[in-house]
Structures are given as structure tokens and as C-alpha cells.
Amino acid sequence: MSGGKLTVAIIGRPNVGKSTLFNRLVGKRLALVDDTPGVTRDRREGEARLGDLRFAIVDTAGLDEVEAGSLAGRMRAQTEAAIAAADLSLFVIDARAGVTPLDAHFAGLLRKVGRPVVLVANKAEGRIGEAGALEAYSLGFGEPVAISAEHGDGMAELYDALRPFADEAARVAEVARDEAARSKASTTDEGGSDIAASSPTDALAEVDSEAEEDDPDRPLNVAVVGRPNVGKSTLVNRLIGEDRMLTGPEAGITRDAISVDWEAKGRRFRLVDTAGLRRKARVEEKLEKLSVADTIRALRYAEVVVLMIDASQPFEKQDLQIADLVEREGRAIVLAISKWDAVEDRQALLRKLREAAERLLPQLKGVPLVPVSGLTGEGLDKLLDAIVAAHKTWNRRISTSRLNRWLERTLENHPPPAVSGRRLRLRYMTQAKARPPTFVAFASRPDALPDSYVRYLVNELRSSFGLPGTPIRLMLRKGDNPYEGKKG
């Protein structure tokens, strides 16, 4: 039990309702659900709530009898790893189908593992479901918990089954806290005073730091996006140092957006691996549409988006469309050039890529571009530095006084053009918000200001205040300087 917290893995053969149960327990539609067997491929983790119980829950791919080297075999290996890491397994069967030979086979596998198992008979509503639930006794895991994950039936019985394991987890956590307290007291007695003890001032400082908009103790949300088969899952696995994501030569392996909490360089991250985004015209199947929607939702909740671009096929139309989507959503962005280990003339290619980025992505001028290899780990330190720097830029605020001094100089160097013989005036500017940097300028005739001049102002803001690559919003409003004529 990690840190005394109960971890529960949901397992079973394909299409028995594992993801539906996962969504029911976390209270959100996090996992993709479809009638097609084998929708879930990667492990998905979440925070489950059942009454007053709180525990970590892991959704897994369906167990199946397959060859080890195949995609299905790698999916099974991921599920077996989840079983080994969990404190408890919820073994789900389809009560309407009864106990199948595959259920019996994997019941034997679970007995060999030797971890606690709670047998769950899903889809137990109706006469057929009730008969299947009774048949589940034959699996040898005691009384099955009959539920309907779709309708929420049987959750009270599931609570009763999980309660003893949650109590044991709480007891383990309490023992660990007591041991830590005794160890700390012993250290304090040996060394005299405990200089590391927090003072009331320290506590206030902690509260203040949590109130900051960019709290360093909060995980930085990073979504890894790109076309199919550019190496997103391989990169995430290399970053976290384990084969957490399913990978392979097949395109489109990842279907769900899977998040992983991770720490590096003294900073906490929440990495989200996403499904590959193909051109909209090529997305036909319902399941792929669900995957695309899941990826876009992950992108919208991210703070920094790492857009992976294949070094052998850089800046294809779909790459540019994804970059444009990130800019429209106002997320910070870093371009990661993947499969860099396969590139021979690196300096020449890197120079061409930088030139292409400046030409093809003018709305993200100066965007960080980092060559990486998920296979060898090359460039990962630089990628992390670029992510943190992009996040800092995305959060940047500029004082109103600095902005208006800049505006005065900019207007002197390049005044706005006259329209219909009338001169346009820009009187005042302020920053409305960060994340992304958003500015408001007050003009005499905002509707008449040409788009070309607005782009000029945005580019000058970017270069003058060090805002490379981040989306910038400049809104125009009609009105006079609200501080004109006021003293002090």
C-alpha cells in the first residue's frame, strides 16, 4: 500500500464493463466506453469515491489468451503489471454471459498471484443476470458482489466488500505516521533543538504560496500530442523511467488520454499521453472520434502542450493544424522533434526546422524547438527545461506603467495608419490576465485598426517583453485613458 493508500485494480476479460465501473467509481467519464471489445489498452488511474471510502483505482485492458509479442500480448503484460502493483483486484465478470472458460482461466492466474480478490458480477440486473451471479461462486473467490455499473445498482454491497481493505490501509498509514514521528523525535533529542520545525511564520508563508497563481507545489499539467506513431508514448515512458504506456510499431495504439504523476528536477508534473490526431476527413470510426475528443479535452486542460513532430516527416499539414489548435486554445507550447536518433546531418536539419517553424507558425513566433529521442533519452533534460520556461512565459505579467511606456515608444516609431483620412489613436494599454498573456488596448476607432497593425503590435510585445512562442491575445476597446486627469 503506497503511503498507506489502498490501490485497487479492475480486471477481467474484454467487454465485461470494467471501464464503466471505473467511471462510476471516479464520478467522471474519464475512460472511453464502447460496445467494441478491447477499447481500453493502457492502464488508466483515478481517484475513486464510494461513500466515505477514498482509494486509487486502476482501469486495465481486458485479459485475453494471446501471444506475448503481439499488441494484445503487450496489453496483457500491462494488466499483469497493474495486478502486481495493486493491493486488491476487482475481478469483473459479465453476469449475463455467466462464467466463461476465459473467466475460469484468469481466476487461476489470480490465485497464483496471491493478492486479495473481490469478485464482481456486473450486469447482474434481471433474471439472466441473477443466474450468472450465482454461477460466479464456482470461481472460488467466495460470494460475488452483484452490481450494475451502468445503473449504479449494488454499490452499497461493493462498499461493504471494500471496507475491510480500506480500514487496513488506514491502519498501515497510521503506523507509518507514528514511526515517522518517533524517528523525528529521536533525531530532535540527539541534536538538541529541531531547527527544521515550522514556525507560525513558515505556516503563513505556505498559505501565501498556495494562493499564488503559479504554485510550484502543484503539478504542472503537460499534454503530449501529435500525429499517430510519432513516439508520444515512447517519450512518456522514457521520461518517467518505466514502460507505463503501451508502445509498438503499430500506429494508433493509444486510445485514451492517460495521465501520470511524475517528479523531476524538484518539480512535479502531470504528464498526459494522448491518442494520435489524424486529419478530420480520415476519422470515421466512432471509437476514433471518441479518442480524438479525449485528446482535445486533455489539450484544453493542459498548461503546456508538447507537440511531437516526426523528424523524418516534419511540419506536415496535420502538425500545423494541431499547432494552430493549441494556439487557439491559448496553451503554452513546445515543439519536440522526435526520432532524433535516426537523423544523420543534425545541424543542417535543425537549421531547416527552425526556419520552417518561423515561416509556417508566425502566430507562435519563437516557439521552443527541442530535438528528442524517446528510444535513447537524448534531449529530455532540454525538453523539461523548455517546458518549465514555456510555462513561466505563459504566466508572465507586465505592469501597466511598463506597457504604456512601451506603447508610447512603439507609436512614435511606427504610428498607426490613417483610415479614410482620419488618424487612429491608441491611448492606453493594460494586461487583463496571464495564461496566456492577454492585453487590452483602448483606441479611438478600434474596428478601423488594420489586422496588419495588430499583428505588428503583437510581434513587438513578444520581442520587447520576452514572450517567445506563447499565444498572445490583444483585444481592442473604444474609450479614453481611464487614468487621464487623475493625480498620483
Side-chain angles (χ1 to χ4, degrees):
M1 298 181 189
S2 178
K5 185 174 185 179
L6 182 67
T7 301
V8 179
I10 304 177
I11 64 167
R13 61 182 177 81
N15 215 34
V16 294
K18 298 184 298 297
S19 294
T20 304
L21 177 58
F22 176 88
N23 287 342
R24 169 72 60 181
L25 291 174
V26 299
K28 301 176 185 176
R29 291 183 61 85
L30 291 182
L32 297 186
V33 177
D34 192 70
D35 292 335
T36 308
V39 170
T40 302
R41 288 176 171 175
D42 289 287
R43 285 177 276 163
R44 179 189 280 275
E45 299 177 1
E47 292 293 323
R49 294 187 174 193
L50 188 57
D52 60 349
L53 300 184
R54 302 291 182 271
F55 52 94
I57 192 79
V58 184
D59 187 22
T60 65
L63 286 165
D64 218 334
E65 292 188 275
V66 288
E67 294 182 10
S70 65
L71 173 59
R74 299 196 300 276
M75 289 163 59
R76 173 171 169 169
Q78 285 280 317
T79 297
E80 290 174 348
I83 295 171
D87 305 305
L88 168 71
S89 293
L90 292 183
F91 182 25
V92 183
I93 69 163
D94 183 343
R96 290 183 299 192
V99 175
T100 68
L102 204 55
D103 292 326
H105 173 79
F106 290 115
L109 184 149
L110 285 170
R111 276 192 287 271
K112 289 179 183 178
V113 172
R115 293 294 184 93
V117 175
V118 170
L119 180 60
V120 176
N122 189 31
K123 309 178 186 179
E125 63 273 24
R127 291 183 179 178
I128 297 177
E130 290 176 4
L134 292 173
E135 188 181 341
Y137 276 96
S138 65
L139 291 172
F141 291 115
E143 183 178 359
V145 181
I147 70 165
S148 170
E150 184 175 358
H151 300 108
D153 298 338
M155 291 299 110
E157 289 76 13
L158 183 60
Y159 173 94
D160 292 338
L162 293 177
R163 176 86 257 180
F165 299 99
D167 289 343
E168 175 63 14
R171 189 191 66 78
V172 170
E174 186 175 357
V175 170
R177 284 194 298 270
D178 290 344
E179 289 179 354
R182 282 195 296 269
S183 176
K184 184 177 180 182
S186 175
T187 303
T188 302
D189 291 341
E190 290 175 5
S193 62
D194 183 3
I195 60 173
S198 295
S199 67
T201 306
D202 295 330
L204 287 173
E206 290 175 5
V207 172
D208 290 341
S209 70
E210 290 174 359
E212 291 292 327
E213 190 170 340
D214 180 23
D215 180 2
D217 294 330
R218 185 175 54 82
L220 198 165
N221 288 314
V222 181
V224 182
V225 304
R227 291 183 285 120
N229 214 31
V230 294
K232 299 182 294 297
S233 297
T234 303
L235 176 72
V236 172
N237 283 344
R238 174 64 69 164
L239 282 169
I240 65 177
E242 63 173 287
D243 291 334
R244 176 65 179 76
M245 303 299 170
L246 197 63
T247 62
E250 306 90 346
I253 290 178
T254 303
R255 285 174 171 168
D256 293 85
I258 305 296
S259 66
V260 180
D261 287 337
W262 171 65
E263 187 169 335
K265 295 188 173 185
R267 180 86 192 232
R268 294 172 60 206
F269 296 85
R270 180 164 292 137
L271 296 174
V272 184
D273 184 26
T274 65
L277 291 171
R278 296 198 299 166
R279 291 201 307 270
K280 190 174 181 180
R282 298 178 62 185
V283 178
E284 297 176 353
E285 296 183 4
K286 175 189 173 186
L287 187 53
E288 187 173 2
K289 290 179 180 178
L290 291 173
S291 294
V292 168
D294 205 30
T295 296
I296 293 174
R297 182 166 58 250
L299 185 154
R300 286 172 175 160
Y301 278 101
E303 296 169 283
V304 181
V305 174
V306 175
L307 171 55
M308 296 196 68
I309 295 175
D310 193 328
S312 63
Q313 299 173 311
F315 292 112
E316 291 197 347
K317 184 178 180 181
Q318 182 66 357
D319 295 327
L320 302 179
Q321 288 180 340
I322 296 172
D324 190 54
L325 173 62
V326 175
E327 194 278 335
R328 290 200 311 271
E329 293 295 334
R331 307 295 97 181
I333 183 170
V334 174
L335 300 184
I337 309 302
S338 70
K339 306 179 183 178
W340 198 246
D341 56 290
V343 175
E344 294 181 0
D345 192 351
R346 296 184 171 188
Q347 292 299 323
L349 179 58
L350 187 57
R351 186 168 55 253
K352 289 180 182 177
L353 292 174
R354 292 191 191 283
E355 292 172 354
E358 292 294 304
R359 184 180 74 256
L360 298 171
L361 297 171
Q363 73 276 36
L364 295 170
K365 191 175 180 64
V367 61
L369 192 150
V370 185
V372 297
S373 169
L375 288 176
T376 67
E378 184 178 358
L380 298 192
D381 279 344
K382 292 182 178 178
L383 178 63
L384 284 178
D385 291 340
I387 289 171
V388 172
H391 183 252
K392 191 173 294 185
T393 301
W394 188 62
N395 280 281
R396 185 160 298 158
R397 284 190 172 274
I398 304 163
S399 69
T400 299
S401 58
R402 286 184 66 199
L403 274 174
N404 283 285
R405 286 196 298 270
W406 167 85
L407 180 62
E408 186 177 348
R409 291 194 304 271
T410 303
L411 294 177
E412 288 177 359
N413 295 333
H414 186 184
V419 177
S420 301
R422 295 174 60 191
R423 184 181 172 191
L424 299 175
R425 295 178 182 275
L426 285 167
R427 296 188 174 93
Y428 174 76
M429 179 178 283
T430 188
Q431 183 173 358
K433 70 180 189 71
R435 305 164 70 90
T438 302
F439 304 92
V440 179
F442 294 88
S444 57
R445 288 188 292 156
D447 295 340
L449 198 66
D451 290 341
S452 58
Y453 194 78
V454 174
R455 286 195 297 271
Y456 162 74
L457 291 176
V458 168
N459 287 332
E460 287 297 304
L461 280 167
R462 194 183 298 281
S463 60
S464 298
F465 295 107
L467 301 170
T470 198
I472 293 177
R473 305 286 187 258
L474 177 56
M475 298 180 289
L476 299 172
R477 297 285 185 268
K478 182 176 176 60
D480 296 326
N481 182 347
Y483 291 99
E484 193 173 289
K486 292 186 178 180
K487 295 182 180 180

